[in-house]
């Protein structure tokens, strides 16, 4: 790598570091190109020598958050007795643990976590493919127990179901941490989210099988 | 009402009308006091003669959205055969219909609906009581079938469960319409949300009763 390329790389890294720090402190809405440049000690225009635009910089920070998020969830899904890993309950438990871990990560990293969802592409640009790819390992964690629960599901159906479970849990965590709907301490939220995840995973399985909650005949 | 009071009332109404129009067109982020004043034909400071602050103005617009939302959901919950209203399936169906109606309202009124969730109080101010009260009829729609499904739930538990179901559905609709997680037409989203709502309502009932999805023994 030439000297110029090395300097570009260093500046990119510094901008990402400063950008992430800003998001942690002030949230995504507090991230301004002018402040970034000042804190990283470069000219405003220099940002655009190393990133095509601010969206690209933010999405790069977000992929790091996604990786940390994914690692946190993966660890939560792992601590289990392997001999029971094939049973229905073990797989529902895995989904419940993932949901509880979702609460913990979101509560501990609120601003970075919110930035994942608050970011909108400028203009009419589409979310780039590499960013969509970066989300996949997160969903794969939910897809794995779902696949064991319902081996008959096609890949598309499985992906959609995993995303919907993710989104439902996200909704409960989002509004819970937002405290817009109710004033909720994290431990209570974790219990609530676990209950929702268990009901959802079990309920989807029952619905799929055509079972109905014991209705009066 | 004196003439001055009447003028204040007219200005307040005009600001609400212009504010709502702006939210519809540009979203909450596009609402600026300066533009509002210009469009309503008043001085910037005049806004604060009729509203204590911009938050109050926005929340007043939001209560109108909440009322429209609530009416839309209430109508969806009503069209059913009354003789079956007591059965478990009828009440689960009611929750599913509410969820499907949620999709339709959100899709047809995206910006106004988003404003309900995007708004944050300025400074460290708390959400006023009257706004929290204005949300309650919406949750009451979910509480009603839940109460019939689980007569043993206490009021607090019932309220929490209704809010969690609301939040879970919100999450699926939010990320679905956002198209951040998947590219989803409204009809597909409605079907997905209905499935999630049915699974959740049925699953919560089963969990509560200590039933488990038929596990291998």
């Amino acid at each position: 790598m030439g000297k110029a390329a090395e300097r570009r790389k260093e500046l990119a890294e510094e901008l990402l570091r400063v950008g992430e720090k800003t998001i942690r402190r002030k949230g995504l809405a507090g991230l301004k190109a002018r402040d970034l440049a000042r804190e990283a000690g470069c000219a405003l225009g220099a940002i655009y020598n190393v990133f095509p635009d601010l969206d690209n910089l933010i999405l790069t920070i977000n992929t790091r958050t996604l990786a940390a998020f994914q690692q946190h969830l993966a660890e939560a899904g792992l601590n289990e007795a392997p001999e029971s890993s094939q049973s229905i309950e073990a797989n529902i438990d895995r989904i419940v643990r993932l949901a509880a871990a979702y609460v913990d990560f979101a509560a501990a990293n609120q601003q970075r976590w919110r930035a994942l969802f608050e970011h909108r592409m400028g203009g009419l640009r589409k979310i780039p493919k590499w960013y969509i790819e970066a989300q996949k390992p997160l969903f794969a964690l939910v897809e794995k127990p779902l696949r064991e629960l319902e081996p008959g599901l096609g890949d598309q159906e499985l992906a959609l179901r995993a995303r919907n479970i993710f989104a439902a849990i996200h909704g409960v965590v989002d509004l819970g941490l937002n405290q817009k709907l109710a004033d909720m301490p994290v431990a209570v939220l974790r219990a609530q989210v676990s209950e929702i995840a268990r009901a959802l995973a079990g309920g989807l399985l029952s619905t799929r099988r055509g079972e109905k909650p014991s209705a009066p005949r």
Side-chain angles (χ1 to χ4, degrees), chain A:
Chain A
M1 184 154 51
K3 239 189 176 156
E6 214 169 285
R7 266 203 302 268
R8 277 165 51 92
K9 209 185 152 194
E10 274 172 26
L11 177 58
E13 200 45 59
E14 179 63 7
L15 285 166
L16 291 170
R17 194 189 63 76
V18 171
E20 188 180 294
K21 199 181 73 179
T22 307
I23 290 174
R24 279 178 196 271
R25 285 194 188 159
K26 303 181 184 174
L28 183 60
L31 192 75
K32 309 284 174 211
R34 198 166 294 275
D35 302 338
L36 261 188
R38 202 189 52 240
E39 273 208 65
C42 71
L44 180 60
I47 295 177
Y48 307 102
N49 289 333
V50 289
F51 290 101
D53 47 50
L54 208 59
D55 279 338
N56 188 292
L57 188 153
I58 292 166
L59 290 180
T60 305
I61 294 171
N62 277 357
T63 57
R64 296 180 175 194
T65 306
L66 283 171
F69 196 4
Q70 193 259 335
Q71 198 187 339
H72 177 84
L73 293 187
E75 281 162 12
L78 285 175
N79 54 353
E80 64 192 302
E83 69 269 20
S84 68
S85 70
Q86 298 305 309
S87 77
I88 289 183
E89 280 191 64
N91 282 301
I92 290 182
D93 279 348
R94 215 178 271 155
I95 293 172
V96 172
R97 273 202 308 279
L98 288 169
Y102 193 123
V103 175
D104 294 332
F105 184 86
N109 305 278
Q110 275 207 54
Q111 296 288 17
R112 283 200 298 158
W113 168 71
R114 288 206 181 282
L116 296 177
F117 301 95
E118 284 176 359
H119 177 255
R120 299 282 180 282
M121 297 298 287
L124 294 169
R125 280 190 301 249
K126 282 199 153 188
I127 298 167
K129 283 235 168 61
W130 58 265
Y131 187 72
I132 291 170
E133 286 302 315
Q135 299 177 327
K136 287 191 177 164
L138 206 57
F139 298 127
L141 291 171
V142 190
E143 286 171 14
K144 191 163 171 278
L146 277 182
R147 192 185 292 278
E148 304 231 359
L149 282 171
E150 304 187 45
L153 277 184
D155 282 355
Q156 277 234 315
E157 230 180 338
L158 190 77
L160 199 52
R161 176 159 298 192
R163 278 158 176 72
N164 282 335
I165 291 180
F166 184 96
I169 296 305
H170 172 79
V172 181
V173 178
D174 186 23
L175 299 194
L177 289 180
N178 221 343
Q179 308 198 326
K180 202 123 197 180
L181 294 192
D183 232 324
M184 217 184 270
V186 172
V188 175
L189 183 58
R190 198 190 298 115
Q192 290 289 319
V193 164
S194 300
E195 185 187 48
I196 292 285
R198 185 173 303 281
L200 195 48
L204 281 169
L205 195 59
S206 302
T207 307
R208 176 91 183 163
R209 290 173 169 177
E211 291 167 11
K212 300 197 168 169
S214 38
R217 281 146 218 265

